[in-house]
Amino acid sequence: MKFIALITLICASLTTYGQVTGFYTGNGVELSFGTDQKKTASISYGDIDNDGDTDIVIANGRHWPDQNEIYLNSGEGVFDVRFNLGIDQSTSYAAELGDFDRDGDLDIAVGNDKKPNSLLMNDGKGKFTEIGPFGKVDSNTRNVTLGDIDGDGDIDIIITNRFYENEICLNDGNGNFDTILTFGENDDATIDVELYDLDKDGDKDLVLANRNEQQNYIYLNENLDFSQKIKFGTGSDETRAVALADFNNDGFIDVLTGNIKQRNQIYFGDDNLSFQQFVELDTLQDETFSLDVGDCDNDGDVDIIVGNSRGRNRIYINSGNGRQFEKFDLSKNSFNTYDIKFVDLNDDQYLDIVEANSEAVNSYYFNTIPQGKN
């Protein structure tokens, strides 16, 4: 009860940063998922225990084995229940939620570095049983993306592997992923991939983020043939994250790139799928590791949150035209943020922010716009 009262007090008062950006942890009190400082690589969310609120899954380890964790939401954005995900410690980069066996609850796909990726099935009450690996064994998995890539109504798994071919693991409808397709080259340094039907032909295409001064590509899906590629970016990018949205409200999906020691950019979509027109999100050359998009001020356009390594995380408020953004620091902290996401934690219809930090506490920030200004 004391912690709930503390949250209420925090939500009723704005810090200096809260008055500007609308996000805060409150009067110097850090809102965090526990107090551990692990090598966290990603954070995901969903209603794990089917009680109607948003819970959190944290993937820890990266190159070093560690324990992945689940935090259950009380319903008010308070996470006072934590338990381990799985028995073994893993070198995890990702833990993504999806109903793979179509039984109505959320299962978890864990992507590991040089260790088999693992699938854990939910019993409907938030307890998980590991049923085996998916994908190739011992690849350098850096991310896991979920979506129906073959259009058969179930959730498939896309694995991005740094310096290995990337994989598509097709679901048979029952949570089995024995059919594996590959795309890209053996030396691709792919870190992230997003899915969207860019050519409007009814199936989902792949938008890749490549590191190590490699070319970024869009792979068009033609009945699971991904041989047709579209270049975007500079051709020698250090892109670690991509996000998709219609930033300028012209009816075409645009591509936002998060780059390491390069300026982050928005590449605009058009009828020709050229993605040649772009704007720089910022003049800064941060080490951006993660991106997310959402309407955080509820004004009808798409805003941006940027997670940086060894630098402050930043919010970019869209002016409405997708070319001009007002920039704010999320906080005074300079963490190694590997993942950052918009999500409504307390069910007030405003997007909050969760932050996965390596070797620092994993934090969350409430959106104060309901108490502040629109």
Side-chain angles (χ1 to χ4, degrees):
M1 295 298 295
K2 289 183 178 179
F3 191 59
I4 295 174
L6 174 62
I7 298 296
T8 303
L9 175 62
I10 290 171
C11 287
S13 60
L14 298 174
T15 65
T16 301
Y17 277 87
Q19 291 172 348
V20 177
T21 68
F23 291 92
Y24 69 105
T25 55
N27 293 339
V29 177
E30 189 73 18
L31 299 180
S32 64
F33 301 102
T35 59
D36 297 334
Q37 299 186 22
K38 298 185 176 182
K39 291 180 170 63
T40 301
S42 78
I43 190 166
S44 57
Y45 58 86
D47 186 4
I48 291 170
D49 52 0
N50 284 323
D51 65 349
D53 53 35
T54 300
D55 308 306
I56 296 294
V57 180
I58 293 177
N60 293 314
R62 298 196 287 118
H63 305 297
W64 303 269
D66 209 334
Q67 186 67 58
N68 298 323
E69 300 168 314
I70 289 175
Y71 288 82
L72 297 182
N73 193 338
S74 69
E76 300 173 338
V78 177
F79 297 86
D80 49 6
V81 175
R82 177 180 72 174
F83 57 90
N84 293 339
L85 174 62
I87 299 172
D88 297 333
Q89 295 188 349
S90 301
T91 53
S92 299
Y93 266 89
E96 295 298 318
L97 288 155
D99 184 5
F100 300 120
D101 53 3
R102 296 193 288 190
D103 66 349
D105 52 44
L106 293 176
D107 312 304
I108 300 178
V110 177
N112 299 313
D113 177 53
K114 295 182 179 178
K115 182 182 183 296
N117 300 321
S118 59
L119 195 66
L120 296 100
M121 308 307 287
N122 193 338
D123 68 354
K125 299 178 181 179
K127 303 301 180 182
F128 292 86
T129 301
E130 185 170 348
I131 64 168
F134 64 92
K136 295 181 178 180
V137 176
D138 297 345
S139 57
N140 292 342
T141 297
R142 290 296 181 269
N143 215 334
V144 170
T145 302
L146 307 181
D148 184 6
I149 199 72
D150 56 0
D152 65 352
D154 53 36
I155 298 175
D156 307 306
I157 302 175
I158 295 86
I159 306 170
T160 51
N161 298 314
R162 190 178 183 190
F163 301 131
Y164 280 81
E165 280 187 318
N166 301 308
E167 304 167 63
I168 299 172
C169 302
L170 297 180
N171 192 340
D172 69 355
N174 298 309
N176 302 308
F177 296 88
D178 297 329
T179 301
I180 301 175
L181 310 177
T182 60
F183 64 96
E185 307 297 333
N186 286 331
D187 60 351
D188 282 352
T190 306
I191 306 297
D192 192 17
V193 63
E194 293 295 327
L195 309 180
Y196 195 84
D197 183 10
L198 294 172
D199 55 4
K200 301 180 180 179
D201 65 350
D203 51 34
K204 290 183 171 61
D205 309 303
L206 309 176
V207 183
L208 272 64
N210 287 329
R211 282 194 62 180
N212 296 91
E213 299 184 345
Q214 294 185 359
Q215 177 71 59
N216 289 323
Y217 285 107
I218 295 167
Y219 287 77
L220 296 181
N221 185 351
E222 302 293 338
N223 297 316
L224 298 181
D225 178 356
F226 296 93
S227 57
Q228 186 176 351
K229 299 187 294 187
I230 299 170
K231 298 178 181 179
F232 71 96
T234 67
S236 58
D237 292 299
E238 288 283 350
T239 303
R240 192 176 179 107
V242 290
L244 308 180
D246 183 4
F247 293 104
N248 55 358
N249 277 317
D250 66 350
F252 298 101
I253 290 296
D254 312 309
V255 180
L256 169 66
T257 60
N259 302 315
I260 300 173
K261 295 184 178 179
Q262 296 174 329
R263 295 176 180 179
N264 297 329
Q265 296 173 316
I266 298 174
Y267 294 87
F268 292 105
D270 55 32
D271 267 328
N272 300 318
L273 297 177
S274 64
F275 295 95
Q276 295 302 304
Q277 297 294 321
F278 70 91
V279 295
E280 293 175 341
L281 182 62
D282 202 331
T283 59
L284 297 174
Q285 297 186 25
D286 290 323
E287 293 189 42
T288 296
F289 276 24
S290 180
L291 302 163
D292 201 13
V293 294
D295 185 7
C296 69
D297 54 358
N298 283 9
D299 66 348
D301 53 34
V302 181
D303 309 304
I304 297 168
I305 181 71
V306 172
N308 292 315
S309 177
R310 293 184 289 272
R312 292 182 179 180
N313 298 330
R314 308 185 198 282
I315 300 167
Y316 294 83
I317 302 297
N318 195 339
S319 66
N321 61 15
R323 293 179 175 271
Q324 295 174 311
F325 292 81
E326 191 173 6
K327 177 180 67 178
F328 304 104
D329 292 344
L330 175 60
S331 75
K332 296 179 180 180
N333 299 318
S334 294
F335 292 139
N336 291 323
T337 300
Y338 271 70
D339 199 9
I340 197 163
K341 287 185 172 73
F342 286 122
V343 54
D344 183 3
L345 295 174
N346 53 0
D347 197 28
D348 65 353
Q349 309 306 308
Y350 287 83
L351 293 176
D352 309 307
I353 293 173
V354 293
E355 186 181 73
N357 300 311
S358 183
E359 299 177 285
V361 294
N362 298 310
S363 302
Y364 59 104
Y365 303 79
F366 285 123
N367 188 334
T368 65
I369 292 174
Q371 292 81 33
K373 58 183 180 179
N374 283 308

